[in-house]
Amino acid sequence: MKVKKFDLKRLGALVYKESLQAIRDPSTLLIAFVLPVVLLFLFAYAVSLDVRDVRIGVVQESNSAPAQQLAAAFASTRYLNVTMAQDRREVAEQVVSGKLRGFVVIPQDFEQRLHSQNGLPLIQIITDGSQPNTANYVANYTQGVIQNWGAGAGMKVAPAAIELEPRYWFNAELESRRSLVPGAIAIVMTIIGTMLTALVVAREWERGTMEAVMSTPASVVEILIGKLLPYFVLGMLATLGAAALAIFVFNVPLRGSLAALLFLSAVFMIPALGQGLLISSVTRNQFLAAQIALFSGFLPAFMLSGFLYEIDGMPAPIQFITWFVPARYFVSSLKTVFLVGDIWAVFWPNLLAMAAIGTFFFVLAKRATRKNLEG
Amino acid sequence: MLANNTAVVIEGVNKHFANTKALRNLSATIQYGQLTGIAGPDGAGKTTLMRILTGLLEPNAGHATVAGFDVVNNNEAIHVVTGYMPQRFGLYEDLTVMENMRLYARLRGMNVAEHTELFAELLEFTRLGPFTERLAGKLSGGMKQKLGLACALMARPKVLLLDEPAVGVDPVSRQDLWRMVQALTDEGMAVVWSTAYLDEAERCDTVLLLNEGQLVFQGPPEELTNRLVGRSFRLENVGAERRAVLAEVLNLPSVSDGVIQGAAVRAVLRKDAQVNELQQLANRVQATIQEVPPRFEDAFIDLLGGGPGGTSALAERLPKVELASNIAVSCKHLTKRFGDFTATNNVSFEVQKGEIFGLLGPNGAGKSTTFKMLCGLMKPTAGEAHVVGLDLRKATGAAKGQLGYMAQKFSLYGLLSVKQNLEFSAGVYGLSGAKQRQRIAEMIKGFALEPWLNSSPDSLPLGFKQRLALACAVMHQPPVLFLDEPTSGVDPITRREFWTHINGLARKGVTIMVTTHFMDEAEYCDRVALLHRSELIALDTPDALKRSAITEQCPDPTMEDAFIYLVEAADLADDLKKQGGV
Amino acid sequence: MTKQSSSFSIVRLRAQFIKEVFSVLRDPRSRMVIFAPPLLQLLIFAFAATLEVSNVELAVYNQDSGRWSQELVMRLDHADFVSNIHYVGKSSDLQRLINEGKVIAGIQVPIDFSRQITAGASGQLQVLIDGRRSNSGQITFGYLSAIVADISAEVQAEQSQITPVVVRHWFNPNLNYRWFIVPGLSGILAFFSALMITSLSIARERELGTFDQLLVSPTSTAEIIISKSLPALAIGTLLGLLMIAAAVFLFQIPFSGSFWLLLISIVLFILSVVGIGLMISAISSTQQQAILGAFAIGVPAVLMSGFATPVENMPMILQALAQAIPLTHFLVIVQGSFLKALTPSDILANVWPLLVIAVVSLTLATLFVRRRLE
């Protein structure tokens, strides 16, 4: 007797079943639709690498006219939230407790130093180094304020020999939101592709429904595709929704084409789903599957994909690990397709890498799932 | 046709897992148009054999063919010609009845639109018609099994394999299952039914009896049963003393097996043994002795070397229970509503000290809800429940300290060793220090758990697992013991041993509350409460219930007959009332 | 018959405590899953999470052949953070290299660059930066500014200049990012471990059926919650301490605060996480729901805790919400204890919210379990 190895009707039945299950489980919907919106919202508004409204202190020890002008210059800046003080001890304590991120000291002999040119520094800037990012910002921004004030006050400062004119491409305003939100799509898809898939396949083993399906003429390939296709569609829907949110709500431009975005996402789903399938086939247990998916899928996508932290800055052994994180290739493609355009020179190597990792996962998963209950 | 009538051929099949031999050199045949039972105690290899026949496991040696196809080389064809219903409910709980049926129809390559007739027929057949839109997870145990059967029957398989289909199924639904299977074999299908219950095996046309992976008998059940003719007896009207009598009967050297049947004690003599000893005992307790036809179960236990003795080493060690009142458990107007659904409606009864009290009813009748309210797992919407005079709502902790509880799934901690499980149970009931050590030592002795102390409960043989669960439940010497389907899916020898302990406990004055679907178990009860559609429809001794079910067609009803009769009578009365109302 | 009906019993509590400890630690697989991944991740992520830039490539389009452009190119070539420089002949090549992500920045040197400098005016350098990598772009620009400032200083060596400002970074003079990230990571990893262990604890017993067994025993709901809290509290605290030790001894991060105050804070922190985990567990009816629930609560909580970016940068509503997250308060304490020698009063200010969260969540967990009985 010949039985067809692959039958679209059987596949259709499995896909339909899986979709119904996905739609009916509140926890699936929570993860697939609510969590992405929450995450995107947080990346747009809560996780901002742009420092704004930093609270600093200005210690005005001198009451001279130039000192007052400088203090006024600080008070009127947009991006600083200034607390005035007379004594540096008042503000020093607040830096320790974290209420202030730094302070500027206008010394008692400010006017004399200004005129004498004795090499003594005019102004002291103290930052809270325990938050390095903010500390850098405080140092740079306060220096800018002082320079502006100096130019306005006609200070005898020679023009710099070389001036740098920075131009930030693709993101002229340097909003971190623009680079974080596209990257967040990769996180959302990792959650749906790897985490959710690992759980639902493990559940099928745990509840014994796998045994019943395996005793029907459906082949392993059909069972696996039937299992994955709905989550593929769910992932793509979540991508579309997240992209729409990014473009229309968070004002991130989509400079490339929608087709390219969808193609990239579709290819990323291969390693994401493959990893979820592999994890569940090996563990066949929901608790372990969730833990492993968390540690091998979600957290690497978060920390090692270049999404929050630049891969260029990591030590060589860690950079080596990132090569095996599929999200790494997807994050870089996403940022390009959103902020730059369809740069296929960037996409092709990334697509190839994702497809290769994905194929590797699928081959392993197929070997772990034979159509029987052995091993 | 005769030559072609063989559906399944098993030749020298061996199967072993890591370090256990599941099947040893098994050879057998199964015919079309017959119901073939695969029977045997726990661990005999029943499920392994079923899985090999459906191509889900590969034999290590030997061959098997199903409908002419080799299970290994022609694996795909196997899945077309067989229908399989796994032991664990293999349907999707978050899909409706109809969606489950459609899924399995499509997986078997059927066009659903063209088969409306088949669907209608299957729904009619399973009586699931009114529930097509209900989620499978919300069905009662019996309905789930019937749905599983309907799904396995899609595309008309030539061989239907059912792995313990009647576990957790009430007598009414079980009768439905039998009816369905009978109709299928009449059409020429080969149906294989695996079971640990021998009364089910007795109803099969042929039985394959397995023990420790080996075939010990193949043939019609009567063939084995007939070997026992003249060895089965019943001591009638033993009455209140029947538990003591059973213990004595079982301790007789000439008796291999014995059970309680209502007010009577049934005993089976050893091979070539004389009836003298039994006769003397009957004379002494002033009971009449009567020879009865043997049952398949008698033959099975005889084949395996007889049942356990009649003395519970555990119960011997326990002190007699003293209570202030003679009423151990009582409930008045007990009612539980979930939204607009009433699960238990106005149930009242009292249970005497030392009584074994059975709670029976079809799946979904409100039996477990009532049971849960009685042991404090659920708060009643109205009415009250008392255990040894303590209100479960007010003196929760004190009342709970007076009861022991053993759940269907045994509820042991798999990650703790046997010893640690015992220590945990002792501690959680407030036993500490020397007292704790002494009680644990008693349990280890009474249940012979010594060799297993450092193993995980999951690795224990079923019988020991059950002993451990019982030990954990009686550690604190509770005057009342709650048993929730304690022997569901358990083989007869393990079941006998369990009841030896329970009988011993009852004789010490422990009150036993038990729910069960297994009618032989109901026979052990002093009184049985029958719940149906959330209400108490009957409450009496097993014998009285049986008597009430005597009809012309059925002059000597079994407990199962009585159950079905009473439930159907209640349905009829309900219908009449409704019609009268309109 | 022991008539022990009090609502609280040490014997019962001890039995349950031992059971909980064994069910988490007896299985070698789960022992591994609890301790190995967090420690491994501390190691990997501590190195991965850095805001320093190294090994980047630059592109230079040099139209000037004068002395100062040579000087600039030479210095760029020797800079530590640069791994390779692409010299291009037209400005469209600069653009292409940035588009393709090959270089992080491109520098265009105009034809009159050296001439302007020699004439005493300013030489203008145009720097094009990849805004996709906004953060490292900014840092790269900072490095470039420093190089350019050096050259400027050389040009104007003879001219005397007033130094307008001096910058000092307190607590972390070299702004070593690892000093910031490692204490925070230890908080996050301990947070996730404690959340996962506790969120599964009731749900697993419910799925296995042992929870009913517990509920029919005389033990009270409060005892169940306490006995489930203690082992997770012990494991979480131990994990936290292990990671703190790794931070001190392995990463050599200066610890300037009080160890005992930190220990108390860790205990309260884990207790509040345990409360949240038990709440999730009490609501969930299956393990899957518990896992996904813990995940859906845990991930946003980490994002809002101020780990990646300061809480004060967030919108007001989120800042208020962040106060309900134990991690927010603990990060202040742990980072402060390492670098800032946080005073007892500052620690107290962040400890009492932890206590409030713990009390509220544990009470709610108890109520949820009790309501399930109805």
Side-chain angles (χ1 to χ4, degrees):
Chain A
M1 186 188 286
K2 265 323 261 181
V3 182
K4 265 202 281 181
K5 278 264 183 200
F6 191 83
D7 182 287
L8 272 180
K9 227 188 292 169
R10 291 196 300 246
L11 182 62
L14 287 166
V15 169
Y16 179 67
K17 178 259 325 181
E18 196 63 36
S19 314
L20 283 179
Q21 279 193 298
I23 291 167
R24 281 180 193 160
D25 188 338
S27 59
T28 311
L29 294 181
L30 175 76
I31 289 293
F33 295 110
V34 181
L35 191 62
V37 174
V38 171
L39 282 185
L40 235 56
F41 176 77
L42 288 177
F43 281 120
Y45 292 112
V47 181
S48 161
L49 295 171
D50 321 328
V51 190
R52 300 248 156 92
D53 292 325
V54 182
R55 292 176 302 238
I56 67 158
V58 171
V59 182
Q60 197 188 334
E61 292 179 340
S62 158
N63 262 325
S64 62
Q68 286 189 350
Q69 282 165 13
L70 181 57
F74 273 108
S76 62
T77 59
R78 258 175 70 201
Y79 294 138
L80 294 177
N81 194 339
V82 174
T83 308
M84 287 297 176
Q86 306 293 326
D87 190 324
R88 64 177 76 191
R89 274 169 303 187
E90 291 171 38
V91 287
E93 272 178 25
Q94 298 193 42
V95 171
V96 173
S97 66
K99 291 194 186 75
L100 295 178
R101 291 297 171 202
F103 60 92
V104 176
V105 181
I106 307 174
Q108 218 167 12
D109 52 355
F110 180 66
E111 209 171 2
Q112 283 143 302
R113 292 191 190 191
L114 195 59
H115 296 297
S116 70
Q117 299 190 4
N118 58 3
L120 279 174
L122 260 183
I123 288 160
Q124 229 188 346
I125 299 170
I126 308 288
T127 72
D128 176 356
S130 70
Q131 306 258 346
N133 219 13
T134 315
N136 251 327
Y137 174 83
V138 169
N140 292 335
Y141 200 85
T142 48
Q143 288 186 67
V145 171
I146 293 165
Q147 230 152 39
N148 279 339
W149 165 80
M155 255 173 65
K156 230 184 81 190
V157 178
I162 301 173
E163 273 181 14
L164 287 178
E165 275 177 54
R167 274 180 50 201
Y168 290 93
W169 278 10
F170 323 128
N171 188 4
E173 302 279 301
L174 272 183
E175 280 179 286
S176 64
R177 179 190 296 180
R178 291 198 164 188
S179 61
L180 284 180
V181 167
I185 294 178
I187 304 289
V188 166
M189 299 209 19
T190 304
I191 295 174
I192 295 177
T194 305
M195 187 95 180
L196 205 55
T197 310
L199 275 180
V200 293
V201 182
R203 180 180 61 184
E204 196 116 352
W205 283 109
E206 259 184 23
R207 293 205 183 158
T209 41
M210 202 58 123
E211 189 176 343
V213 172
M214 277 189 165
S215 68
T216 69
S219 65
V220 184
V221 177
E222 285 164 15
I223 294 173
L224 292 187
I225 295 180
K227 202 77 209 163
L228 296 183
L229 204 57
Y231 294 95
F232 178 81
V233 173
L234 205 60
M236 295 304 281
L237 281 180
T239 307
L240 271 178
L245 265 182
I247 297 164
F248 300 115
V249 180
F250 304 131
N251 289 321
V252 179
L254 178 63
R255 298 206 171 102
S257 61
L258 186 64
L261 171 66
L262 290 179
F263 181 55
L264 285 164
S265 310
V267 174
F268 175 66
M269 285 313 268
I270 303 174
L273 293 170
Q275 191 175 358
L277 190 65
L278 178 62
I279 292 171
S280 58
S281 308
V282 172
T283 61
R284 297 185 182 185
N285 166 315
Q286 289 191 69
F287 170 63
L288 282 177
Q291 287 279 353
I292 294 175
L294 179 69
F295 288 124
S296 74
F298 174 75
L299 284 174
F302 207 83
M303 304 289 288
L304 302 177
S305 65
F307 161 63
L308 271 184
Y309 301 103
E310 210 58 57
I311 294 173
D312 290 333
M314 297 174 191
I318 311 256
Q319 288 200 24
F320 177 75
I321 297 175
T322 65
W323 292 350
F324 302 99
V325 177
R328 170 203 167 134
Y329 307 100
F330 191 42
V331 166
S332 116
S333 307
L334 277 171
K335 286 185 179 177
T336 302
V337 78
F338 270 96
L339 300 176
V340 183
D342 292 350
I343 310 291
W344 289 95
V346 174
F347 296 161
W348 281 124
N350 286 338
L351 287 169
L352 280 178
M354 292 192 281
I357 297 176
T359 312
F360 177 68
F361 282 148
F362 269 100
V363 169
L364 286 185
K366 172 83 174 44
R367 286 177 68 174
T369 324
R370 268 164 303 160
K371 202 188 166 181
N372 56 33
L373 300 171
E374 303 271 356
Chain B
M1 275 308 282
L2 256 177
N4 257 345
N5 208 28
T6 304
V8 177
V9 180
I10 304 163
E11 273 177 346
V13 164
N14 275 287
K15 178 73 194 171
H16 52 81
F17 300 103
N19 47 15
T20 49
K21 285 202 166 142
L23 291 178
R24 302 177 210 206
N25 202 18
L26 191 78
S27 299
T29 54
I30 290 170
Q31 309 296 317
Y32 284 118
Q34 279 196 351
L35 175 59
T36 305
I38 297 185
D42 174 58
K46 302 189 294 287
T47 296
T48 306
L49 179 59
M50 294 295 253
R51 285 179 172 169
I52 284 178
L53 294 183
T54 43
L56 292 172
L57 288 177
E58 289 176 12
N60 296 108
H63 300 280
T65 58
V66 175
F69 300 107
D70 189 277
V71 289
V72 178
N73 300 329
N74 223 330
N75 196 283
E76 281 122 33
I78 295 293
H79 296 143
V80 177
V81 295
T82 60
Y84 173 51
M85 190 170 137
Q87 189 172 4
R88 280 194 295 172
F89 177 61
L91 299 163
Y92 293 92
E93 305 213 340
D94 28 19
L95 263 54
T96 64
V97 168
M98 200 47 160
E99 284 160 357
N100 265 300
M101 287 176 64
R102 288 209 182 109
L103 168 69
Y104 282 94
R106 291 203 180 103
L107 287 181
R108 293 188 166 276
M110 290 164 48
N111 191 333
V112 175
E114 288 168 16
H115 289 84
T116 44
E117 259 175 52
L118 175 67
F119 270 69
E121 193 184 314
L122 280 172
L123 286 172
E124 164 73 36
F125 193 46
T126 52
R127 298 183 186 159
L128 284 172
F131 309 105
T132 48
E133 294 309 311
R134 190 179 288 191
L135 291 183
K138 297 232 157 35
L139 294 176
S140 70
M143 290 205 274
K144 277 182 188 171
Q145 296 303 94
K146 285 190 279 186
L147 175 58
L149 185 58
C151 290
L153 282 175
M154 284 294 165
R156 297 282 140 152
K158 291 184 177 166
V159 179
L160 180 65
L161 298 137
L162 310 172
D163 197 359
E164 305 206 7
V167 169
V169 173
D170 67 70
V172 178
S173 303
R174 187 158 30 192
Q175 200 187 31
D176 275 353
L177 280 178
W178 282 115
R179 178 181 51 78
M180 291 162 71
V181 165
Q182 200 61 55
L184 293 170
T185 50
D186 289 348
E187 286 171 25
M189 197 181 286
V191 180
V192 182
W193 175 302
S194 97
T195 181
Y197 295 124
L198 281 307
D199 60 330
E200 285 177 10
E202 194 164 10
R203 298 170 73 158
C204 296
D205 300 318
T206 316
V207 175
L208 305 181
L209 200 59
L210 301 184
N211 188 33
E212 291 176 348
Q214 281 173 312
L215 187 69
V216 288
F217 172 79
Q218 173 172 16
E222 309 84 60
E223 195 183 309
L224 194 66
T225 312
N226 287 342
R227 297 183 197 167
L228 272 276
V229 170
R231 285 165 59 185
S232 300
F233 296 90
R234 194 152 69 184
L235 275 64
E236 304 281 359
N237 291 325
V238 192
E241 287 306 306
R242 63 200 182 286
R243 284 193 272 276
V245 172
L246 175 66
E248 279 192 61
V249 165
L250 285 174
N251 288 342
L252 292 177
S254 60
V255 170
S256 81
D257 181 30
V259 292
I260 285 176
Q261 283 188 325
V265 169
R266 192 173 192 285
V268 179
L269 292 181
R270 286 190 195 282
K271 198 162 189 241
D272 304 324
Q274 296 303 310
V275 73
N276 307 353
E277 280 185 335
L278 202 60
Q279 184 69 58
Q280 281 162 16
L281 182 68
N283 294 344
R284 184 150 53 80
V285 298
Q286 296 170 346
T288 52
I289 189 163
Q290 191 181 3
E291 193 186 322
V292 287
R295 300 186 305 182
F296 188 64
E297 185 164 298
D298 301 340
F300 172 83
I301 287 175
D302 184 63
L303 201 67
L304 298 184
T311 313
S312 162
L314 166 84
E316 299 260 286
R317 288 162 202 277
L318 292 182
K320 265 210 169 304
V321 172
E322 304 290 348
L323 286 183
S325 150
N326 228 10
I327 305 296
V329 178
S330 70
C331 58
K332 284 195 197 92
H333 311 296
L334 204 57
T335 302
K336 181 73 185 178
R337 279 187 278 271
F338 301 100
D340 53 1
F341 171 70
T342 307
T344 299
N345 190 14
N346 201 16
V347 170
S348 310
F349 55 75
E350 284 182 337
V351 182
Q352 307 282 320
K353 179 189 142 214
E355 196 175 5
I356 300 184
F357 189 87
L359 218 49
L360 271 60
N363 300 105
K367 180 170 42 95
S368 7
T369 309
T370 309
F371 195 73
K372 279 183 173 157
M373 285 191 286
L374 288 173
C375 58
L377 276 175
M378 222 180 242
K379 297 237 161 81
T381 318
E384 50 192 72
H386 292 264
V387 169
V388 286
L390 296 165
D391 189 333
L392 275 167
R393 268 207 275 205
K394 287 173 198 133
T396 325
K400 284 178 177 174
Q402 301 296 303
L403 61 89
Y405 175 83
M406 186 178 141
Q408 185 182 355
K409 287 190 283 183
F410 297 158
S411 303
L412 298 164
Y413 288 94
L415 286 167
L416 271 62
S417 70
V418 168
K419 181 90 184 289
Q420 286 161 346
N421 266 288
L422 290 169
E423 282 165 356
F424 169 69
S425 296
V428 92
Y429 281 95
L431 299 171
S432 60
K435 200 165 198 171
Q436 183 187 81
R437 283 194 296 277
Q438 177 217 331
R439 294 277 173 85
I440 290 175
E442 274 174 21
M443 292 299 144
I444 294 171
K445 263 232 167 88
F447 287 110
L449 291 169
E450 190 74 45
W452 305 95
L453 286 183
N454 292 315
S455 332
S456 154
D458 294 341
S459 66
L460 258 54
L462 186 73
F464 279 92
K465 220 186 269 185
Q466 188 161 43
R467 285 184 197 180
L468 177 60
L470 186 59
C472 289
V474 300
M475 174 87 67
H476 58 293
Q477 304 184 345
V480 181
L481 184 58
F482 284 81
L483 308 169
D484 191 6
E485 297 192 27
T487 61
S488 194
V490 171
D491 67 70
I493 295 184
T494 314
R495 206 156 54 216
R496 292 227 185 343
E497 187 203 307
F498 179 78
W499 276 100
T500 298
H501 291 300
I502 297 302
N503 285 334
L505 289 171
R507 286 172 66 198
K508 290 282 183 170
V510 177
T511 311
I512 315 278
M513 302 287 295
V514 59
T515 71
T516 184
H517 281 309
F518 190 66
M519 290 305 125
D520 272 12
E521 211 152 73
E523 301 265 19
Y524 280 97
C525 297
D526 293 295
R527 282 190 304 155
V528 167
L530 191 57
L531 286 165
H532 180 49
R533 293 185 177 170
S534 322
E535 288 180 10
L536 188 65
I537 58 167
L539 172 59
D540 216 325
T541 62
D543 286 337
L545 290 180
K546 278 185 266 184
R547 273 196 301 278
S548 71
I550 292 176
T551 57
E552 269 177 41
Q553 295 88 2
C554 185
D556 184 18
T558 61
M559 197 62 207
E560 185 152 334
D561 296 333
F563 182 102
I564 294 168
Y565 173 84
L566 288 166
V567 166
E568 283 173 353
D571 280 345
L572 208 64
D574 262 15
D575 290 347
L576 284 176
K577 218 188 283 171
K578 269 185 209 143
Q579 281 165 4
V582 175
Chain C
M1 194 67 50
T2 40
K3 288 271 178 193
Q4 228 165 359
S5 59
S6 61
S7 63
F8 194 83
S9 145
I10 294 295
V11 176
R12 293 197 300 248
L13 203 57
R14 204 191 56 188
Q16 290 179 68
F17 174 75
I18 294 170
K19 179 255 304 182
E20 292 294 333
V21 172
F22 276 116
S23 46
V24 179
L25 295 183
R26 193 169 185 259
D27 178 17
R29 263 200 322 188
S30 70
R31 233 180 358 231
M32 259 241 320
V33 167
I34 285 167
F35 286 106
L39 292 172
L40 196 67
Q41 289 193 326
L42 182 70
L43 291 181
I44 294 178
F45 295 158
F47 288 104
T50 166
L51 291 181
E52 285 150 39
V53 171
S54 54
N55 301 315
V56 293
E57 304 192 9
L58 297 176
V60 173
Y61 172 35
N62 191 354
Q63 291 169 288
D64 176 39
S65 53
R67 173 188 163 204
W68 294 112
S69 67
Q70 299 293 327
E71 178 73 23
L72 174 73
V73 165
M74 195 199 72
R75 284 184 188 240
L76 287 177
D77 211 26
H78 284 86
D80 288 336
F81 73 101
V82 179
S83 66
N84 187 22
I85 296 182
H86 300 257
Y87 297 98
V88 298
K90 37 184 205 293
S91 69
S92 62
D93 283 351
L94 274 189
Q95 192 166 348
R96 183 179 51 82
L97 285 170
I98 293 179
N99 279 353
E100 291 176 2
K102 295 239 165 62
V103 299
I104 191 161
I107 301 164
Q108 195 163 349
V109 187
I111 198 155
D112 59 349
F113 180 68
S114 297
R115 201 155 13 110
Q116 290 280 352
I117 295 175
T118 321
S122 292
Q124 305 281 324
L125 283 179
Q126 205 176 56
V127 185
L128 307 174
I129 300 160
D130 186 348
R132 272 173 288 187
R133 307 196 250 170
S134 60
N135 212 32
S136 20
Q138 271 174 293
I139 295 163
T140 306
F141 181 69
Y143 292 168
L144 290 175
S145 301
I147 291 176
V148 165
D150 274 2
I151 304 177
S152 285
E154 198 174 304
V155 172
Q156 298 169 331
E158 66 281 2
Q159 286 181 321
S160 99
Q161 264 290 107
I162 53 165
T163 334
V165 288
V166 60
V167 177
R168 276 175 52 207
H169 301 295
W170 278 6
F171 317 126
N172 185 0
N174 299 319
L175 293 189
N176 187 337
Y177 198 69
R178 204 158 295 145
W179 288 15
F180 162 71
I181 203 84
V182 171
L185 264 179
S186 61
I188 286 177
L189 295 171
F191 170 80
F192 259 117
S193 293
L195 194 67
M196 278 289 185
I197 295 174
T198 46
S199 63
L200 277 172
S201 64
I202 299 178
R204 184 177 47 209
E205 285 214 41
R206 210 171 253 150
E207 245 181 50
L208 291 175
T210 46
F211 202 59
D212 276 357
Q213 193 80 53
L214 210 53
L215 289 178
V216 295
S217 78
T219 199
S220 63
T221 323
E223 281 170 20
I224 295 178
I225 294 293
I226 293 173
S227 68
K228 289 205 172 286
S229 305
L230 291 180
L233 185 63
I235 291 168
T237 307
L238 183 65
L239 204 54
L241 287 177
L242 277 175
M243 287 191 280
I244 300 286
V248 173
F249 299 110
L250 205 62
F251 293 100
Q252 305 273 324
I253 300 169
F255 185 87
S256 58
S258 149
F259 171 76
W260 296 109
L261 286 177
L262 180 62
L263 181 66
I264 293 172
S265 312
I266 291 180
V267 172
L268 280 173
F269 164 61
I270 300 290
L271 191 65
S272 56
V273 178
V274 162
I276 294 173
L278 286 176
M279 246 166 66
I280 297 172
S281 203
I283 302 171
S284 313
S285 44
T286 61
Q287 289 192 68
Q288 179 180 339
Q289 283 178 8
I291 293 168
L292 294 181
F295 200 72
I297 299 274
V299 174
V302 169
L303 290 180
M304 285 164 57
S305 66
F307 164 66
T309 57
V311 176
E312 63 232 39
N313 290 3
M314 297 176 196
M316 284 314 289
I317 303 175
L318 293 184
Q319 287 195 33
L321 210 56
Q323 300 308 309
I325 301 170
L327 202 52
T328 311
H329 305 283
F330 183 67
L331 286 181
V332 174
I333 298 173
V334 71
Q335 286 168 347
S337 292
F338 264 92
L339 300 176
K340 292 169 146 187
L342 213 58
T343 59
S345 64
D346 282 331
I347 288 185
L348 187 69
N350 285 293
V351 157
W352 72 260
L354 290 178
L355 197 62
V356 171
I357 298 170
V359 169
V360 169
S361 57
L362 285 169
T363 312
L364 283 177
T366 314
L367 290 179
F368 288 152
V369 172
R370 210 168 275 165
R371 209 189 52 192
R372 277 275 177 148
L373 284 175
E374 299 297 309

